[in-house]
Amino acid sequence: MSSAEPDDHELIKRITRGDPIAADIFVDRYKRLIDSILKRNYRLPNDVAQDLFQDVFVKLREDNYRRLRIWRGKG
């Protein structure tokens, strides 16, 4: 993460305020991590992992980022 990019706390604040650029940064920041977890830990094929990854972020958005709003910086 470069010094110009927001930390996770700031990024989540921006997302929950409706900043679409912050949401894009969030997805870009975590897509490799989530992809590797889905493939390595759950042994999902690439196409299934990609679909699940998309579903997670669509549901976050549809739920108005409720899970991000209650995040307290741990986990």
Side-chain angles (χ1 to χ4, degrees):
M1 177 170 64
S2 74
S3 60
E5 290 185 20
D7 66 15
D8 288 344
H9 291 280
E10 180 60 31
L11 191 59
I12 289 172
K13 283 181 196 175
R14 287 174 47 190
I15 291 169
T16 59
R17 290 184 195 133
D19 181 344
I21 294 171
D24 290 343
I25 293 168
F26 186 81
V27 169
D28 287 343
R29 184 175 291 175
Y30 289 102
K31 68 182 170 187
R32 287 180 56 202
L33 171 65
I34 294 170
D35 187 59
S36 70
I37 290 169
L38 293 173
K39 290 177 185 173
R40 186 173 8 114
N41 295 8
Y42 296 99
R43 301 176 193 264
L44 297 177
N46 191 45
D47 58 333
V48 174
Q50 288 177 357
D51 288 346
L52 186 56
F53 175 81
Q54 281 187 317
D55 288 348
V56 166
F57 286 99
V58 166
K59 295 220 184 286
L60 268 174
R61 191 175 332 121
E62 287 175 347
D63 198 27
N64 196 26
Y65 301 104
R66 184 179 63 85
R67 293 284 184 190
L68 291 181
R69 291 175 196 280
I70 61 175
W71 182 70
R72 297 296 173 238
K74 297 179 182 176

